[in-house]
Amino acid sequence: MKKITWLLPLVVSTMYVSAQKKNDRKILSNLQLHVSYLSSDKLEGRRSGAPGEQLAAAYIATQMQQLGLTPKGDNDFLQPFLIRESREPAASCSFTLNQVPLTLGSQYIPLPFSAAGSAKGEVLPHVNEPDNIWLVNIAELDIDNKKSMLEEYLKQTQIAEKSGATGVIFYNGKESAATVLQWLDHNLPPTGIPAVWADQAISKKLDDEEASSFQINIQLAFNQVKRTGTNVVGYLDNKAPKTVVIGAHYDHLGFGEETHAATKTLHPGANDNASGIAAMLEIARFLKSARLQHNNYIFVAFSGNEQGLFGSKYFTSRQNLDLSTINYMINMDMIGRLDNAKGLQIGGIGTSPGWPGILTAVTDKATHLVYDSSGVGPSDHTSFYRKNIPVLYFFTGNHSDSRQTGDSADTINYEGTLSIVKLICDIVSKTNNQEKLVFSSTREPQVTARK
């Protein structure tokens, strides 16, 4: 009998370790499954509003349903929102300079306030006359530094229109084609004449002092654009007075449209941010089975992150969401490339006086952690911080594949991602029996590191 008594703790310990290893293997397998699907070619880079984003949203919603979460979107698990309502240049646009056609989107770009229509004429360099196209050399203008360059272009177009110009071409601007393409996101009332921007190569031709005249023919047309994104929201209702939000964005760069690259190639977005979504789903799996019932839990897969945190801004502005009941928000963005040398970055520890003690209690002192006190950053936790909610932000740092075509599933450190999942589960467990966290505002980011 004594023999059994002495061996029993060893047997129990061995069974526990075996169960833990089995559970870890299950989580690792799930992480790989989630990341591989979300970053697959089928989803085409998950650009907000594109078909690939909708496939990703459907996958995440199905996973939430299988986990037993309650739908918390406006349409079951889905929460659609408007990203942009404006117009974009149609493929039928044309611009010929001395009978040579120019390339839309690179050599010339219609400005967001341009009129649709046509303008043509024989244009003399440095001579702007009524009833003809004007050439406006931006480099020679007295620019109002209080205005944005887009506002300056609009102002000059209005001056040209009032002076009888039939169209206006801007050249020698310092901005890149990528910047001008981003201006198209602005929904501005159109002026009465066509207005286009010309790149440096075309500007050089227009600025040629030896040129006698230019034969110019412009035809502009626009398509109306209404672009929407979709958050995916699941809920674990423990009938508790306070709620924890755990989120990550799932949208990415598609074929590079958001970077306005000249060559359109698939951006898989395995680390950015299929890794965060995969971790969120596994944390939801843990909390569904755990007995941590002093908080409710909302799990949100945000879209519209790449356009300026549209999804999280929309979520936090919903009238049916009582922000006063939210205990804190945890955000995971690009957590799939953990490198022990660089460490794990944890932002937002200054957003509540309770965070330092909680983190000290659950983190291994041998782990390389980089702390950032600020609640503001380039990800969705910022939208919650702006609503006076404590936040934590998990990030494994930029790398050579960030926002590039090489951010694929085979580059993910799944063991490292598992360790982050466990850490966040420990943090949530630690706060289960504590009072609602007190919010603190933060100043500029202050980064410290410890090993």
Short mmCIF file of all heavy atoms in Angstrom, two decimals, residues 103-124:
data_model
loop_
_atom_site.label_atom_id
_atom_site.label_comp_id
_atom_site.label_asym_id
_atom_site.label_seq_id
_atom_site.Cartn_x
_atom_site.Cartn_y
_atom_site.Cartn_z
N THR A 103 -0.54 56.02 -69.96
CA THR A 103 -1.05 54.92 -69.14
C THR A 103 -1.79 55.44 -67.92
O THR A 103 -1.22 56.17 -67.10
CB THR A 103 0.11 54.00 -68.69
OG1 THR A 103 0.80 53.52 -69.84
CG2 THR A 103 -0.43 52.82 -67.89
N LEU A 104 -3.06 55.05 -67.81
CA LEU A 104 -3.88 55.42 -66.66
C LEU A 104 -3.33 54.77 -65.40
O LEU A 104 -2.98 53.60 -65.38
CB LEU A 104 -5.31 54.97 -66.90
CG LEU A 104 -6.31 55.14 -65.75
CD1 LEU A 104 -6.53 56.61 -65.44
CD2 LEU A 104 -7.64 54.46 -66.07
N GLY A 105 -3.26 55.54 -64.31
CA GLY A 105 -2.84 55.00 -63.01
C GLY A 105 -1.37 55.16 -62.73
O GLY A 105 -0.94 55.01 -61.58
N SER A 106 -0.57 55.48 -63.76
CA SER A 106 0.85 55.69 -63.53
C SER A 106 1.32 56.99 -64.18
O SER A 106 1.78 57.91 -63.51
CB SER A 106 1.67 54.50 -64.03
OG SER A 106 1.41 54.26 -65.40
N GLN A 107 1.18 57.11 -65.52
CA GLN A 107 1.60 58.33 -66.19
C GLN A 107 0.62 59.47 -65.97
O GLN A 107 1.02 60.64 -65.93
CB GLN A 107 1.78 58.07 -67.69
CG GLN A 107 2.95 57.15 -68.01
CD GLN A 107 3.11 56.93 -69.50
OE1 GLN A 107 2.15 56.57 -70.19
NE2 GLN A 107 4.33 57.14 -69.99
N TYR A 108 -0.64 59.16 -65.84
CA TYR A 108 -1.62 60.19 -65.51
C TYR A 108 -2.70 59.57 -64.62
O TYR A 108 -3.00 58.39 -64.72
CB TYR A 108 -2.24 60.81 -66.76
CG TYR A 108 -3.32 59.98 -67.41
CD1 TYR A 108 -4.67 60.23 -67.16
CD2 TYR A 108 -3.01 58.93 -68.27
CE1 TYR A 108 -5.68 59.48 -67.75
CE2 TYR A 108 -4.01 58.17 -68.87
CZ TYR A 108 -5.34 58.44 -68.60
OH TYR A 108 -6.33 57.69 -69.18
N ILE A 109 -3.26 60.42 -63.75
CA ILE A 109 -4.32 59.99 -62.83
C ILE A 109 -5.36 61.10 -62.73
O ILE A 109 -5.01 62.24 -62.38
CB ILE A 109 -3.75 59.67 -61.42
CG1 ILE A 109 -2.67 58.59 -61.50
CG2 ILE A 109 -4.86 59.25 -60.48
CD1 ILE A 109 -1.90 58.41 -60.21
N PRO A 110 -6.61 60.83 -63.04
CA PRO A 110 -7.66 61.82 -62.81
C PRO A 110 -7.76 62.14 -61.31
O PRO A 110 -7.70 61.24 -60.46
CB PRO A 110 -8.93 61.13 -63.31
CG PRO A 110 -8.43 60.07 -64.26
CD PRO A 110 -7.13 59.61 -63.69
N LEU A 111 -7.91 63.39 -60.98
CA LEU A 111 -8.01 63.80 -59.58
C LEU A 111 -9.44 63.55 -59.07
O LEU A 111 -10.39 63.51 -59.86
CB LEU A 111 -7.61 65.26 -59.44
CG LEU A 111 -6.10 65.47 -59.69
CD1 LEU A 111 -5.78 66.94 -59.93
CD2 LEU A 111 -5.27 64.92 -58.53
N PRO A 112 -9.60 63.36 -57.76
CA PRO A 112 -10.91 62.92 -57.23
C PRO A 112 -12.04 63.91 -57.46
O PRO A 112 -13.21 63.52 -57.46
CB PRO A 112 -10.63 62.72 -55.74
CG PRO A 112 -9.38 63.47 -55.46
CD PRO A 112 -8.58 63.43 -56.72
N PHE A 113 -11.72 65.18 -57.69
CA PHE A 113 -12.76 66.19 -57.92
C PHE A 113 -12.93 66.49 -59.42
O PHE A 113 -13.67 67.41 -59.79
CB PHE A 113 -12.40 67.49 -57.19
CG PHE A 113 -10.99 67.94 -57.42
CD1 PHE A 113 -10.62 68.56 -58.60
CD2 PHE A 113 -10.02 67.71 -56.46
CE1 PHE A 113 -9.32 68.96 -58.82
CE2 PHE A 113 -8.71 68.10 -56.68
CZ PHE A 113 -8.36 68.73 -57.87
N SER A 114 -12.25 65.77 -60.28
CA SER A 114 -12.33 66.02 -61.72
C SER A 114 -13.73 65.76 -62.25
O SER A 114 -14.43 64.85 -61.81
CB SER A 114 -11.33 65.14 -62.47
OG SER A 114 -11.52 65.24 -63.86
N ALA A 115 -14.11 66.56 -63.25
CA ALA A 115 -15.36 66.28 -63.95
C ALA A 115 -15.15 65.14 -64.93
O ALA A 115 -14.04 64.91 -65.41
CB ALA A 115 -15.81 67.53 -64.70
N ALA A 116 -16.21 64.40 -65.20
CA ALA A 116 -16.18 63.47 -66.33
C ALA A 116 -16.38 64.29 -67.60
O ALA A 116 -16.95 65.37 -67.57
CB ALA A 116 -17.28 62.44 -66.18
N GLY A 117 -15.87 63.75 -68.70
CA GLY A 117 -16.03 64.47 -69.96
C GLY A 117 -14.73 64.53 -70.73
O GLY A 117 -13.77 63.80 -70.44
N SER A 118 -14.69 65.42 -71.72
CA SER A 118 -13.53 65.49 -72.61
C SER A 118 -13.00 66.90 -72.70
O SER A 118 -13.72 67.88 -72.42
CB SER A 118 -13.91 64.99 -74.01
OG SER A 118 -14.91 65.80 -74.59
N ALA A 119 -11.74 66.98 -73.10
CA ALA A 119 -11.10 68.27 -73.38
C ALA A 119 -9.97 68.01 -74.36
O ALA A 119 -9.22 67.04 -74.20
CB ALA A 119 -10.56 68.89 -72.09
N LYS A 120 -9.87 68.85 -75.37
CA LYS A 120 -8.78 68.68 -76.33
C LYS A 120 -8.38 70.04 -76.88
O LYS A 120 -9.16 71.01 -76.85
CB LYS A 120 -9.17 67.73 -77.45
CG LYS A 120 -10.31 68.21 -78.34
CD LYS A 120 -10.58 67.17 -79.42
CE LYS A 120 -11.74 67.62 -80.33
NZ LYS A 120 -11.98 66.63 -81.42
N GLY A 121 -7.16 70.08 -77.40
CA GLY A 121 -6.70 71.34 -77.96
C GLY A 121 -5.22 71.32 -78.25
O GLY A 121 -4.49 70.39 -77.88
N GLU A 122 -4.78 72.37 -78.95
CA GLU A 122 -3.35 72.59 -79.17
C GLU A 122 -2.89 73.54 -78.09
O GLU A 122 -3.29 74.71 -78.05
CB GLU A 122 -3.11 73.16 -80.56
CG GLU A 122 -1.63 73.32 -80.87
CD GLU A 122 -1.40 73.81 -82.30
OE1 GLU A 122 -2.38 73.98 -83.05
OE2 GLU A 122 -0.22 74.00 -82.66
N VAL A 123 -2.05 73.04 -77.20
CA VAL A 123 -1.69 73.78 -75.99
C VAL A 123 -0.27 74.30 -76.12
O VAL A 123 0.67 73.54 -76.41
CB VAL A 123 -1.82 72.88 -74.75
CG1 VAL A 123 -1.49 73.67 -73.49
CG2 VAL A 123 -3.23 72.31 -74.66
N LEU A 124 -0.10 75.60 -75.89
CA LEU A 124 1.23 76.20 -75.91
C LEU A 124 1.85 76.12 -74.52
O LEU A 124 1.19 76.42 -73.51
CB LEU A 124 1.13 77.66 -76.34
CG LEU A 124 0.60 77.93 -77.75
CD1 LEU A 124 0.44 79.43 -77.98
CD2 LEU A 124 1.53 77.33 -78.79
#
